[in-house]
Amino acid sequence: MKTQFKTIVVSDIHLGTKGSKAKEVVRFLKKYRCENLILNGDIIDGWQLKKSGSWKRKHTRFFNRILKMIDNDQTKVYYLRGNHDDFLDQILPLQIGNLSIQKDLIYHSNGKKYMVLHGDVFDSITTNLRWIAYMGDIGYTFLLWLNRLVNYHRRKRGLSYFSLSQYVKGKVKSAVSYIDKYEQELAMMAKAKGCDGIICGHIHKAEARIIDGIEYYNSGDWVETMSALAEDYEGNWQLIYYNEIDFGKVTTDDKIIPMPQNDESYSAVSFTKSNDDLELPPFRF
């Protein structure tokens, strides 16, 4: 039994880095079926792969899952370029069957029009001051490393997972101001383009709210938050968090044994965690 959505949006998986939750996003995509899958930027982290990153088998499995969705479910996949996978600029635009690689798109649904893009184009740091962006990437990578160290000791003491990077971003006033300005600028751009809403990623902060009459959606990331954005067939959008999904009992061949559910439980599916996963799913802040 797979839950059917019209459209699913995931972003900021950062394949090729230690922090990427590739296994979790593959499990997520195995449990949900959709007509449209939007990979909204920073799926592959080209910046880290040029430096200290490495490509693992689990990263390849992500693309194997995408190909199976195209082949088995006839899912239309849109891969939108982000700043960390800007190497795609060399081949844009490209379409092969149900796979389309492009910079952005206008998504029409239930009489509404949404602008969909990664969002780095509205970030003056990543577009105009790339050296500062690279320095920030190094600092963020260090913070994720420190986060793993902190949670290793927390687990030994029987404490729950704590997202250090999310805590820091929430406490630093300049970061809060930057996020708020980023969201406002995107909403203004969507309004100027005559759109009803904007769907983005980039800042690793899942969000669904109204800004000056514009629907603002950010799908979050698969490094810390582990979240996705999903649309049902009535045009309703919702954020789905990996650590909040209620999973039934799963057999060894990854088939779901149905659990009793009510009519509103289309997102009530969860995941069992394999023994070789070193980190617990992060909590939302």
Side-chain angles (χ1 to χ4, degrees):
M1 292 180 62
K2 287 190 176 183
T3 301
Q4 176 80 30
F5 285 109
K6 182 178 180 181
T7 299
I8 292 178
V9 184
V10 295
S11 66
D12 298 273
I13 303 175
H14 291 275
L15 298 172
T17 68
K18 291 183 179 179
S20 176
K21 301 299 190 298
K23 292 181 180 179
E24 286 82 353
V25 71
V26 168
R27 292 191 190 117
F28 172 80
L29 292 175
K30 282 183 178 179
K31 309 310 175 187
Y32 292 93
R33 182 180 288 118
C34 59
E35 291 186 5
N36 308 294
L37 175 65
I38 301 175
L39 307 176
N40 201 2
D42 285 2
I43 304 303
I44 299 174
D45 197 320
W47 293 10
Q48 283 296 316
L49 285 173
K50 288 180 180 179
K51 297 183 292 182
S52 58
S54 61
W55 194 263
K56 303 290 186 181
R57 185 183 301 175
K58 61 183 179 179
H59 301 150
T60 301
R61 286 184 182 135
F62 170 79
F63 287 103
N64 289 340
R65 168 89 316 243
I66 299 303
L67 292 175
K68 286 182 179 178
M69 292 175 70
I70 293 174
D71 187 45
N72 298 338
D73 303 327
Q74 288 73 53
T75 300
K76 295 179 181 178
V77 178
Y78 302 89
Y79 188 150
L80 307 186
R81 163 239 193 254
N83 53 302
H84 282 257
D85 42 23
D86 53 5
F87 57 85
L88 293 173
D89 286 336
Q90 302 175 50
I91 62 172
L92 294 177
L94 176 66
Q95 182 165 356
I96 306 174
N98 275 4
L99 173 63
S100 178
I101 304 176
Q102 55 199 78
K103 285 187 177 181
D104 50 39
L105 65 86
I106 298 296
Y107 177 71
H108 296 267
S109 177
N110 288 69
K112 292 184 178 180
K113 184 168 67 171
Y114 297 89
M115 187 174 185
V116 188
L117 74 173
H118 182 62
D120 61 293
V121 66
F122 299 98
D123 185 345
S124 60
I125 292 177
T126 58
T127 53
N128 301 322
L129 300 171
R130 287 183 64 85
W131 68 273
I132 295 181
Y134 278 116
M135 291 298 294
D137 182 56
I138 293 172
Y140 183 63
T141 301
F142 170 75
L143 196 57
L144 291 177
W145 172 83
L146 185 61
N147 188 62
R148 289 195 296 270
L149 184 64
V150 167
N151 280 286
Y152 169 76
H153 290 287
R154 286 178 63 87
R155 285 196 300 271
K156 291 185 67 175
R157 297 171 58 187
L159 300 175
S160 60
Y161 183 91
F162 176 73
S163 179
L164 179 63
S165 51
Q166 291 287 341
Y167 175 80
V168 171
K169 284 190 289 186
K171 289 297 182 180
V172 178
K173 290 184 179 180
S174 59
V176 174
S177 175
Y178 162 79
I179 291 172
D180 185 63
K181 184 177 179 180
Y182 173 85
E183 295 174 344
Q184 293 286 342
E185 290 291 333
L186 283 171
M188 288 174 58
M189 176 59 67
K191 181 177 288 188
K193 294 288 186 178
C195 295
D196 300 284
I198 183 95
I199 299 172
C200 62
H202 186 51
I203 58 173
H204 294 207
K205 185 179 184 297
E207 190 67 77
R209 65 189 183 103
I210 303 296
I211 301 176
D212 296 329
I214 298 296
E215 297 177 32
Y216 171 87
Y217 298 108
N218 192 307
S219 54
D221 67 280
W222 288 85
V223 176
E224 306 167 80
T225 314
M226 292 194 293
S227 59
L229 187 66
E231 180 198 26
D232 63 23
Y233 283 89
E234 284 70 49
N236 302 308
W237 293 90
Q238 71 169 62
L239 285 167
I240 302 177
Y241 294 87
Y242 179 91
N243 62 298
E244 293 181 357
I245 299 173
D246 180 22
F247 217 152
K249 182 180 179 182
V250 178
T251 62
T252 55
D253 62 354
D254 205 33
K255 294 180 180 178
I256 300 177
I257 297 176
M259 301 292 285
Q261 298 179 359
N262 56 38
D263 293 337
E264 299 177 349
S265 61
Y266 60 88
S267 65
V269 182
S270 73
F271 306 92
T272 55
K273 192 166 179 61
S274 60
N275 294 329
D276 56 348
D277 284 340
L278 298 180
E279 297 182 55
L280 295 174
F283 290 106
R284 175 160 52 108
F285 289 91

